[in-house]
Amino acid sequence: MSDKTLRFDRLEPLREQVDAWRAGGDRIVLVPTMGALHSGHLALVAHAKAIGQRAIVSIFVNPTQFGPNEDFSRYPRDTETDLALLAQAGADAAWLPSVETMYPTGFSTRIEPGPAAEGLCGTVRPGHFSGVATVVTKLINQVRPDIALFGEKDFQQLQVIRSVVRDLDMAVTIEGVPTLREADGLALSSRNRYLGARERAIAPRLHAVLAEMAERLARGAEAAPLIAEGTTALEAAGFGPVQYLEVRDAQTLAPVVRAEREARVLVAAYLGATRLIDNVAVVPA
Ligand code: PAF
């Protein structure tokens, strides 16, 4: 790691550094991550540097957002590689809290987000968004950034965080950053590294199916038949189970019959043992 990226394992020195930067007039941008960094995260760091003076990247694999049968214990962790990537990307600081720092003995508060957390991942991952909302609120309170960046790939997460920040009057601007994709359309994700060669060859179909649905919805097609067709196409390609394939309003996440204003097609589907999510914007003509 170059000496440009400062590493913080304890909250107090991190806060002192952030306060010093802010006193010098710098705008602080936080990029919360769970590590296993890829080019999508590094694009967030680049964006942070473009809109602020100081980019702080948190790395914390948050146990409270994983269900009992999910991949918490095998979630990829490679802090030294992550730190080297952050140094190359020009991040100013890495915030690496321990589980004890985030959830000390006696920790007992949880944030329960509202309707944005209902349905989609909120249904198939009970408790997930409460875990996300709680940890993101803590990270924002710890770092006290002016802006926090989140990838649009986790579109429902982004909307949940926006609603929490709005409802709790948190003094931070939340900005969504468009999904970065491989040349074949597969959305970048830390979980792509779980895919075997055969699965990796199939995986881009996820985006292809969503993109075709989005195009037809934008031209006025009804959602329900497209969802049925899309689910069949994904299953034929080798995905399954398809946990959801839905069309939702881009602002409220309410289900959409026909896209009369901006919407999103959102999917979660297993490919072998790997759960992939993605979404594509529908912009009516
Ligand atoms: O998107 C993620 O990586 C995580 O959900 C986040 C926002 C860092 C919270 O743990």
Side-chain angles (χ1 to χ4, degrees):
M1 181 173 165
S2 100
D3 53 10
K4 270 195 324 183
T5 304
L6 304 171
R7 170 185 176 148
F8 294 94
D9 303 289
R10 290 192 316 109
L11 184 54
E12 208 178 300
L14 171 76
R15 279 206 162 145
E16 278 168 16
Q17 182 61 74
V18 172
D19 287 348
W21 281 333
R22 178 161 290 114
D26 290 349
R27 185 150 55 161
I28 315 291
V29 186
L30 172 66
V31 181
T33 81
M34 297 204 299
L37 301 180
H38 51 66
S39 318
H41 295 113
L42 302 181
L44 292 177
V45 177
H47 187 64
K49 292 295 289 181
I51 61 173
Q53 284 71 41
R54 301 292 176 180
I56 302 180
V57 179
S58 63
I59 299 179
F60 179 65
V61 185
N62 174 34
T64 68
Q65 69 186 76
F66 288 81
N69 300 317
E70 295 184 350
D71 56 347
F72 173 68
S73 54
R74 73 178 183 117
Y75 196 84
R77 292 162 172 89
D78 187 353
T79 306
E80 292 314 311
T81 302
D82 286 347
L83 292 172
L85 289 170
L86 290 181
Q88 277 166 29
D92 295 279
W95 169 221
L96 306 164
S98 64
V99 174
E100 291 68 37
T101 298
M102 297 305 276
Y103 303 116
T105 307
F107 181 89
S108 62
T109 301
R110 293 223 13 148
I111 292 183
E112 282 304 333
E118 287 166 11
L120 306 170
C121 289
T123 299
V124 293
R125 302 186 72 187
H128 169 68
F129 286 122
S130 171
V132 169
T134 305
V135 81
V136 168
T137 301
K138 279 189 68 97
L139 291 167
I140 287 172
N141 286 342
Q142 289 166 341
V143 177
R144 300 193 281 236
D146 299 286
I147 302 172
L149 301 183
F150 296 86
E152 285 187 354
K153 176 172 163 284
D154 296 286
F155 193 77
Q156 188 179 16
Q157 168 174 280
L158 173 62
Q159 300 305 75
V160 166
I161 292 165
R162 284 191 203 284
S163 70
V164 169
V165 163
R166 190 183 56 237
D167 290 353
L168 299 184
D169 303 315
M170 292 164 67
V172 63
T173 300
I174 301 300
E175 207 184 294
V177 179
T179 304
L180 218 68
R181 298 183 181 279
E182 302 282 5
D184 59 14
L186 177 65
L188 296 191
S189 164
S190 304
R191 290 184 170 99
N192 290 351
R193 60 184 81 184
Y194 297 153
L195 299 170
R198 193 179 149 271
E199 291 163 348
R200 177 61 189 82
I202 294 169
R205 282 296 294 153
L206 197 63
H207 175 248
V209 167
L210 295 192
E212 193 191 324
M213 285 176 70
E215 204 182 296
R216 290 166 69 185
L217 285 157
R219 282 191 268 115
E222 207 185 311
L226 290 183
I227 290 170
E229 248 181 70
T231 305
T232 305
L234 288 174
E235 286 168 352
F239 288 88
V242 176
Q243 289 190 311
Y244 62 77
L245 174 60
E246 293 197 32
V247 185
R248 296 280 183 121
D249 184 272
Q251 295 298 317
T252 63
L253 290 184
V256 159
V257 176
R258 253 181 233 280
E260 273 149 22
R261 55 185 203 152
E262 193 169 330
R264 288 264 159 174
V265 192
L266 305 106
V267 71
Y270 274 89
L271 185 52
T274 305
R275 181 176 182 273
L276 298 177
I277 63 169
D278 201 354
N279 69 87
V280 166
V282 179
V283 185

